[in-house]
């Protein structure tokens, strides 16, 4: 996960920081958040969860970045002011997304992409003869080349 975050930060040209999400004291509080600034990106995940769930939350928020999703609710920035990095004004936020449900197409797409990313990350972490790149090459290759006789 750290390597993927480092590579995405390089691609976006700004640091990507992972943080534990403070207890927001609400039943409808999101389990993950992504806040993008012009100088840095921040992903927040709940602290009290399993490592597997934390990884899915982070992948979900990474998917928002990779898919270029933008804020759907302008009021979310004001509600997150207490957890924003020290000294950052709310108007500096380019995008803020927090998931409490899968009601929107954006959230559904990010969750689906996060699941795919999980499988891809697992395959890349354990390379072998049937790794992701080999399978992708086989799937996209010429059909006659892959025909078995």
């Amino acid at each position: 996960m750290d390597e993927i975050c480092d590579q995405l930060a390089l691609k976006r040209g700004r640091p990507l920081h992972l943080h534990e999400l403070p207890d927001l004291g609400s039943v409808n509080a999101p389990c993950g958040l992504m806040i993008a600034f012009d100088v840095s990106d921040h992903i927040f995940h709940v602290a009290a969860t399993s490592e597997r769930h934390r990884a899915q939350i982070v992948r979900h928020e990474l998917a928002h970045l990779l898919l270029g999703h933008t804020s759907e609710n302008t009021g979310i920035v004001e509600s997150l002011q207490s957890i924003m990095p020290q000294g950052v004004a709310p108007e500096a936020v380019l995008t803020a997304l927090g998931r409490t449900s899968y009601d929107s197409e954006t959230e559904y797409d990010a969750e689906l992409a996060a699941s795919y990313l999980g499988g891809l990350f697992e395959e890349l972490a354990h390379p072998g003869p049937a790794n992701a790149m080999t399978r992708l090459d086989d799937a996209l290759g010429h059909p006659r080349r892959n025909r078995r006789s």
Side-chain angles (χ1 to χ4, degrees):
M1 185 67 70
D2 291 336
E3 179 63 25
I4 297 298
C5 290
D6 291 344
Q7 291 301 315
L8 185 56
L10 284 173
K11 181 174 176 50
R12 291 175 59 83
R14 57 185 181 243
L16 173 60
H17 304 282
L18 298 180
H19 309 278
E20 286 188 352
L21 186 63
D23 183 10
L24 300 176
S26 171
V27 174
N28 292 324
C31 59
L33 297 167
M34 184 275 296
I35 303 176
F37 301 94
D38 60 352
V39 295
S40 63
D41 297 317
H42 298 264
I43 291 177
F44 294 84
H45 58 85
V46 292
T49 192
S50 68
E51 187 62 28
R52 185 177 190 154
H53 187 221
R54 178 184 108 37
Q56 182 68 8
I57 293 166
V58 172
R59 286 191 304 264
H60 177 99
E61 302 308 329
L62 287 172
H64 281 306
L65 290 172
L66 291 167
L67 295 170
H69 291 163
T70 57
S71 299
E72 297 174 340
N73 179 357
T74 55
I76 195 170
V77 175
E78 290 78 24
S79 67
L80 300 175
Q81 195 164 8
S82 65
I83 66 164
M84 284 200 269
Q86 197 75 0
V88 174
E91 55 272 8
V93 174
L94 298 177
T95 298
L97 292 163
R99 175 186 61 171
T100 56
S101 69
Y102 300 102
D103 292 345
S104 74
E105 188 173 330
T106 300
E107 291 301 321
Y108 177 83
D109 289 349
E111 189 63 18
L112 184 61
S115 295
Y116 287 133
L117 287 172
L120 180 62
F121 293 173
E122 181 66 27
E123 289 186 28
L124 292 175
H126 305 293
N131 72 23
M133 295 311 288
T134 301
R135 288 178 39 210
L136 182 61
D137 184 52
D138 287 345
L140 298 176
H142 192 279
R144 288 216 170 269
R145 186 188 81 191
N146 292 330
R147 187 191 309 176
R148 302 193 195 276
S149 315

